Amino acid sequence: MQKAKLVLKTSAQPQTIVHLSETVTVGGSDLLIVGGPCAVETAAQMEAVACRLATGPIQAIRGGVYKPRTSPYDFQGLGIEGLKILASVRDRYGLPVITEVMAISQIEEIAAYADVLQVGSRNMQNFDLLKALGQANKPILLKRGLAATIEEFVMAAEYIMSHGNPNVILCERGIRSFDTYTRNVLDLGAVVALKQITHLPVIVDPSHAAGKRELVPNLAKAAIACGADGIIVECHPEPEQSVSDARQALSLEEMVNLARSLEPIAQAVGRTIVSGTGNVPRFSFV
Ligand code: PEP
Ligand code: MN
């Protein structure tokens, strides 16, 4: 392992707790459960998501507005319109929002609306982007590259931290292998290792790892059991209608049930799950 001066644990370095909002944190004893669609599609879709998830033990919402799609002909995201939708549900339901930043030119705009900026797998080694995010005043959710070693993952986080941003959350989301049954292979060994060698929060994305919704709940449980600080899971009001990653999306009901089912596992490993904000919108939408 190369010298990662800021990311690696030292005896003097306490565990990092990252604040997503005034009340939502990750890295402490409370687990972070994030739910939401792959992509923000419409205001009504996000309203349905936030309204349901706010009542469950879910603390933050995800949704991409700039989407890294394999095909340039596929839906690329709503951009600024999507950011406004995210900020609107955040303000009304009290759930911080996470969205992906793909380019340096998007940082300022996204930071004005979102609470956490996600670096997707395909950009984990976009070093100029990582350096620029070191200057951002928002937490960064750094996803492991499609075929990145643990060392490369740690060094990518080191780029962000060494450029001034201490608020980095690591996310294991599966790595490429030979098997095609699952989309990727969820590397829980990396989660255990990262918790041992770094002081940063480590969360798990079982959705992009599995690629199949029926595998997601048990992988989420395994993630919490092995010491992850949280999970980020894709869900949708009408999973089959999702414009992207439909096959792995849970229904909102399944998402809430999954979050509730983590309770005994959390207890067994000495973690707590904060109940939902239960917030009702402060004014009606549209
Ligand atoms: C996503 O979270 O929507 C995403 C594209 O994930 P990843 O970068 O892990 O593929
Ligand atoms: Mn997705």
Side-chain angles (χ1 to χ4, degrees):
M1 175 71 64
Q2 293 184 59
K3 191 79 197 124
K5 288 189 250 174
L6 302 169
V7 171
L8 296 181
K9 216 176 233 172
T10 62
S11 46
Q13 173 70 54
Q15 165 67 37
T16 291
I17 297 179
V18 174
H19 283 255
L20 283 75
S21 68
E22 270 177 27
T23 53
V24 178
T25 62
V26 61
S29 64
D30 291 345
L31 293 176
L32 175 69
I33 305 173
V34 185
C38 183
V40 175
E41 298 164 15
T42 63
Q45 169 221 26
M46 291 311 295
E47 175 69 15
V49 169
C51 183
R52 186 68 190 95
L53 301 196
T55 63
I58 288 141
Q59 296 82 38
I61 292 201
R62 61 149 289 147
V65 303
Y66 293 107
K67 295 302 302 174
R69 305 303 301 281
T70 300
S71 166
Y73 307 114
D74 286 340
F75 177 64
Q76 303 285 307
L78 292 182
I80 179 83
E81 192 198 330
L83 287 174
K84 290 181 180 166
I85 293 172
L86 280 175
S88 166
V89 294
R90 183 263 318 282
D91 292 345
R92 287 175 307 109
Y93 289 93
L95 293 163
V97 296
I98 303 174
T99 198
E100 177 163 351
V101 54
M102 288 172 57
I104 294 176
S105 57
Q106 296 163 352
I107 295 176
E108 207 179 311
E109 176 190 86
I110 296 179
Y113 291 96
D115 301 285
V116 177
L117 278 50
Q118 172 176 321
V119 177
S121 274
R122 290 152 194 83
N123 271 315
M124 191 207 79
Q125 284 189 317
N126 180 340
F127 298 116
D128 283 346
L129 179 63
L130 301 178
K131 288 181 201 173
L133 288 169
Q135 317 265 291
N137 62 352
K138 292 282 160 122
I140 309 300
L141 174 62
L142 178 65
K143 298 188 96 177
R144 183 178 182 183
L146 305 171
T149 64
I150 293 174
E151 180 172 359
E152 287 164 340
F153 192 16
V154 164
M155 293 314 288
E158 187 79 12
Y159 262 92
I160 301 170
M161 291 191 70
S162 63
H163 283 77
N165 191 341
N167 296 308
V168 179
I169 306 161
L170 302 174
C171 179
E172 161 59 35
R173 47 77 73 201
I175 46 174
R176 283 254 166 106
S177 185
F178 52 86
D179 201 344
T180 51
Y181 185 80
T182 55
R183 188 172 177 183
N184 291 290
V185 174
L186 183 60
D187 184 3
L188 292 180
V191 175
V192 177
L194 290 164
K195 287 296 295 176
Q196 283 178 8
I197 65 174
T198 83
H199 56 84
L200 297 177
V202 180
I203 70 169
V204 167
D205 174 349
S207 304
H208 290 89
K212 293 181 170 167
R213 68 175 63 83
E214 63 273 24
L215 302 180
V216 169
N218 283 354
L219 290 177
K221 287 182 187 142
I224 300 307
C226 81
D229 294 296
I231 51 165
I232 179 164
V233 172
E234 287 188 347
C235 59
H236 192 284
E238 296 173 285
E240 305 290 353
Q241 306 306 317
S242 303
V243 295
S244 54
D245 288 349
R247 183 64 184 84
Q248 69 199 31
L250 300 184
S251 69
L252 302 181
E253 226 36 57
E254 287 166 337
M255 179 72 217
V256 170
N257 289 339
L258 161 56
R260 290 189 180 138
S261 76
L262 297 175
E263 183 60 48
I265 321 275
Q267 266 190 33
V269 293
R271 309 298 289 265
T272 39
I273 299 183
V274 178
S275 60
T277 65
N279 276 3
V280 287
R282 287 203 280 274
F283 53 87
S284 70
F285 202 66
V286 294

